[in-house]
Structures are given as structure tokens and as C-alpha cells.
Amino acid sequence: EECLFFFLKQKTAYEIKEGDWSSDVCSSDLEWEFAARGGNLSRGTIYSGSNSADSVAWYEDNSDSEGNSNLFQGHGTMKVGLKKPNELGIYDMSGNVAEWCHDWYAADYYSHSPVENPQGPAGGTSRILRGGEWGGDSTACYVYDRGAIQPNYTRPEFGFRVAKSKR
């Protein structure tokens, strides 16, 4: 709901109407990880598209490059597409901005969730963040790394990736 609210506030810039989007504008935790790992084309890398963070991710050690948004002490968000894409051709799934997922966070959820198509907890106090960001360590950019934070907490390193279901 938080992602949908933000996106709809921006509707004049993006020329969308509320009815154009499902309530799941942000990807689910599993959708995000499937895409980050390269889907069915996955080569099993630890970052999205590579085993080298520097080839695919913007993080603390390399985000002070020329052209960043200079949000904090010379570091900041970089233009999408300057690093290599993953196997699906998707850029910046590792690093640049940590991406909100639709799912609520529960540390033990996957230990008792359905094996097929788990939907995430029904509620909670924190939403899942994935992918790492320009102000953090490269290990937070691993495709399997999962963080969580309260949805009312904002930082310039946080963003989201729009996911639209086919109708």
C-alpha cells in the first residue's frame, strides 16, 4: 500500500490512474529475488548478474563516482544502467538503492510458510528491503540478503521497483 500511495501521488509525472495498477505495485519478496537471481537463466551468482560487486552494484566503496546525486559526503544514487545487467537484462538489482518489497517481514516466516508460492506474513511492523544501497557494504547487495524496516521510515538510499501484473 505504501508503494502504491507514493506512486499515485506522482501520477501526473507518470500519467497513471489508480485503476491502472494492482494493489501490488511493489514486487513481492520472492518476485524480487527471482528477478535479481536472473530468473530461469540464473548462473547462480551472489550479486545480481555477477560474483563481482563492482561490475553490477553501486555501494559505499564505489558510489562516490562522478555523476552521482551527491546526497551524502560525495556519495549518492547513480543513473540506472551504468553497471552490467543481470541474466534477464535488469539493471541495478544489486546496489544503488535498497528496494522496498510489498511483503511484511517476519524472521521465521519461511521456516513455516507454504513451499509453493508463499505470500508473506499477513501483517507486521516492518516491510522487506532488498538489494543493498549506495551507502552500505557490498554484502548487503547479495541477492539473498534481506533487510526490514518500518514503512514510515525514509532515506535517500531507499526506493522501489515497479512490478505490474499482466492482465
Side-chain angles (χ1 to χ4, degrees), residues 11-109:
K11 68 182 171 187
T12 54
Y14 297 102
E15 298 180 10
I16 65 163
K17 296 185 270 326
E18 188 166 355
D20 291 343
W21 297 91
S22 72
S23 62
D24 296 336
V25 172
C26 291
S27 58
S28 73
D29 182 37
L30 291 182
E31 288 169 334
W32 188 97
E33 187 164 330
F34 182 77
R37 287 182 181 266
N40 294 327
L41 304 175
S42 177
R43 295 187 304 267
T45 57
I46 61 172
Y47 300 102
S48 185
S50 178
N51 284 320
S52 165
D54 285 329
S55 66
V56 294
W58 296 108
Y59 61 101
E60 183 178 34
D61 290 350
N62 68 6
S63 66
D64 60 347
S65 303
E66 186 175 326
N68 75 45
S69 59
N70 196 21
L71 292 169
F72 182 73
Q73 297 179 350
H75 294 264
T77 308
M78 299 296 291
K79 181 179 175 185
V80 173
L82 297 177
K83 298 285 187 176
K84 291 176 19 181
N86 73 2
E87 297 90 334
L88 296 175
I90 304 172
Y91 292 89
D92 292 350
M93 295 287 294
S94 288
N96 214 6
V97 296
E99 299 178 11
W100 289 104
C101 291
H102 184 262
D103 298 29
W104 291 104
Y105 177 78
D108 65 343
Y109 176 72

